[in-house]
Amino acid sequence: MSKQKFYKIVTYGCQMNVHESEKIAGVLSELGYVPCGELSEADIIVFNTCCIRENAENHAFGNIGMLKKLKAENRELIIAVGGCLPQQVGKADNLHEKFPYVDIIFGTHNLHKLKDYVLLKQKQKKAVIEIDSDEGLVCEGDNPVRTSYPNAWVNITYGCNNFCSYCIVPFVRGRERSRHSENIINEVKRLLAEGYKEITLLGQNVNSYGNGSDNVTFPQLLEKIANLDGKFRLRFMTSHPKDFSEELARVIAANEKICHCVHLPVQSGSDAVLKAMNRKYTAQDYLTKISYLKKHVPDCAVTTDLIVGFPGETEEDFEATLNLVKEVNYSSAFTFVYSKREGTVAAKMPDQIPEEVSKERIMRLIDLVNSLTREHTKNYVGKTVEILCEDYDKKKGMYLGRDCYGRMGYFKSETNAIGEFVNIKISKANGVSLIGERV
Ligand code: 5AD
Ligand code: SF4
């Protein structure tokens, strides 16, 4: 009998979700499913959804809707929808009503039971729907099918306690819990032995890492991992400014394997907006954290997340954001228009900003961020950088990878360079990316 096939997990949202999809693929592999690249060949299709902004949610709804025809043609096909979207109050029922042909609906705390759900669904006609509430689940012993060689994602924390007033994550991911440091270190050792060259530690707020049972702080954990043998790069995301310490900046400076690249989301440059967002720092507090980095790691690339159009944001508030962006001189930034999420504190705030105002602001912000990014890339021309090659771009006929600051570089190579550290001399800066020759 031919093997059952799973279509590559359809993923929405952040790197956390990308890694979670690798875990879902791992669960399906344990059941004997093998991957396939065509929807029409698949025996199971899994959507790993995101609900952080309305457009991510709509995108998932649209794609699930498009499978109606395929399901009608192939009654044996299993369609499963998991992740953040069904974890929201009432959304699983909503999904079931809207798409009765979806076979399995499961929440963020149910990933490991997907195996049981598939087996159950193969026996019964009825849809399997299970959404657990926060059980303090810490995942160990996962067997992900990794898709991002030479990088490997490693969760160190799950959930979030910060309750930024705009954000749905604490509601759908539960309270923050940390993995035991020994388990994390053993996982990293295994990955390095398997040949992975870059480890990215993942958590909603890695800086507040700390497992009550072993008292290891985040800077200590980083140091322990950076001290492991072998040539590799160590990255981490995401950091919350309120927990970013000078000690962390010192640890980055003292360990050459830790990349000089920090993602430190500021969200806004206005104290009034930061307060309403419940971010627990002022613009000045944030700049103090940046000064730790500039002092200890002067060449550190800093990236950020920014939201425009938060309820009550005035033109002056927005200009404070533009000024902060210029002052920090970010090497790049993710920019978002505020999206109202039901159930959050901000959703009930008066003074929601009209769409045209938000749109105009985000265009101005994107222009500024792009001009800073272009300046950063221009400074590379003539320099030689070390790229960790991660892929081959068929259209361009070039290999690509990132330097330790996170900047993407393209180059030609006669031999397969994926997984190698390659020195390239930059000849051209192309907006956000670089082009160079192997030296
Ligand atoms: N609207 C817009 N952006 C949001 N983010 C989180 N919640 C929202 C929302 N409701 C952004 C923040 C966060 C990033 C992951 O997503 O900038 O840092
Ligand atoms: Fe959301 Fe704030 Fe937690 Fe980040 S820190 S996940 S923005 S609540």
Side-chain angles (χ1 to χ4, degrees), residues 87-272:
Q87 189 70 42
Q88 296 169 92
V89 178
K91 279 283 163 74
D93 291 339
N94 211 249
L95 263 167
H96 183 52
E97 268 165 39
K98 217 169 157 155
F99 309 108
Y101 53 87
V102 169
D103 303 282
I104 300 171
I105 300 178
F106 62 106
T108 53
H109 306 292
N110 301 81
L111 190 156
H112 295 85
K113 292 199 236 155
L114 179 60
K115 202 168 168 176
D116 303 338
Y117 305 152
V118 173
L119 294 173
L120 184 61
K121 182 60 212 174
Q122 284 166 340
K123 279 192 236 136
Q124 73 178 37
K125 230 173 146 230
K126 215 169 80 185
V128 181
I129 303 177
E130 196 162 84
I131 313 289
D132 283 341
S133 53
D134 180 8
E135 289 177 330
L137 184 73
V138 174
C139 310
E140 296 295 355
D142 287 323
N143 214 352
V145 174
R146 295 188 179 270
T147 50
S148 59
Y149 176 83
N151 175 66
W153 311 105
V154 176
N155 275 115
I156 65 166
T157 66
Y158 297 95
C160 182
N161 289 346
N162 289 322
F163 288 94
C164 300
S165 62
Y166 50 82
C167 187
I168 194 84
V169 169
F171 300 93
V172 293
R173 293 268 163 194
R175 296 293 62 72
E176 183 181 294
R177 55 253 179 228
S178 296
R179 287 178 68 193
H180 204 285
S181 64
E182 236 171 73
N183 294 337
I184 298 169
I185 292 166
N186 285 336
E187 181 173 346
V188 174
K189 279 186 187 162
R190 266 198 316 276
L191 290 164
L192 296 175
E194 284 169 27
Y196 286 89
K197 304 283 168 49
E198 182 177 88
I199 303 293
T200 307
L201 305 179
L202 287 178
Q204 306 294 350
N205 178 14
V206 289
N207 309 124
S208 62
Y209 170 83
N211 186 303
S213 57
D214 64 3
N215 283 327
V216 173
T217 64
F218 180 61
Q220 289 166 343
L221 178 71
L222 263 189
E223 207 150 35
K224 280 174 192 273
I225 298 176
N227 282 332
L228 295 175
D229 288 339
K231 181 171 167 72
F232 66 95
R233 285 182 181 166
L234 185 53
R235 300 187 189 277
F236 54 88
M237 64 190 306
T238 290
S239 298
H240 193 300
K242 79 175 163 53
D243 300 306
F244 191 94
S245 62
E246 185 162 11
E247 189 199 353
L248 179 56
R250 273 196 221 103
V251 167
I252 298 172
N255 292 277
E256 60 169 17
K257 288 175 190 165
I258 306 175
C259 290
H260 288 190
C261 170
V262 170
H263 186 63
L264 199 58
V266 67
Q267 315 298 359
S268 168
S270 148
D271 287 346

Side-chain angles (χ1 to χ4, degrees), residues 269-419:
S270 148
D271 287 346
V273 174
L274 288 170
K275 190 156 196 287
M277 286 179 163
N278 192 29
R279 290 291 290 177
K280 304 184 183 91
Y281 55 82
T282 61
Q284 191 48 53
D285 296 336
Y286 182 88
L287 292 171
T288 302
K289 308 286 169 142
I290 295 291
S291 74
Y292 298 153
L293 274 173
K294 300 226 155 131
K295 177 169 150 201
H296 297 285
V297 200
D299 63 335
C300 194
V302 185
T303 59
T304 201
D305 292 343
L306 298 156
I307 297 178
V308 305
F310 185 81
E313 184 189 65
T314 62
E315 175 60 25
E316 290 70 41
D317 292 323
F318 174 65
E319 280 168 19
T321 300
L322 295 178
N323 290 336
L324 183 132
V325 168
K326 281 184 221 153
E327 182 159 354
V328 178
N329 190 14
Y330 291 108
S331 73
S332 66
F334 295 107
T335 52
F336 306 108
V337 170
Y338 164 74
S339 172
K340 186 175 171 180
R341 303 283 65 204
E342 255 0 289
T344 62
V345 168
K348 293 186 214 82
M349 287 181 180
D351 212 1
Q352 302 276 327
I353 304 296
E355 204 182 314
E356 32 334 327
V357 175
S358 296
K359 273 195 179 151
E360 190 265 342
R361 287 182 189 161
I362 195 135
M363 295 316 288
R364 281 157 69 197
L365 183 61
I366 290 172
D367 277 349
L368 172 62
V369 167
N370 284 350
S371 70
L372 295 180
T373 304
R374 270 197 301 273
E375 276 309 304
H376 282 280
T377 26
K378 254 207 273 173
N379 291 335
Y380 271 90
V381 176
K383 291 189 180 140
T384 297
V385 294
E386 188 184 56
I387 297 278
L388 173 57
C389 180
E390 58 191 56
D391 211 349
Y392 178 71
D393 185 323
K394 271 195 207 137
K395 263 200 207 139
K396 289 195 169 76
M398 288 176 128
Y399 285 89
L400 61 135
R402 288 170 199 278
D403 71 356
C404 80
Y405 305 106
R407 188 70 64 203
M408 188 70 85
Y410 290 81
F411 61 98
K412 290 210 156 130
S413 172
E414 293 298 314
T415 53
N416 179 359
I418 297 174

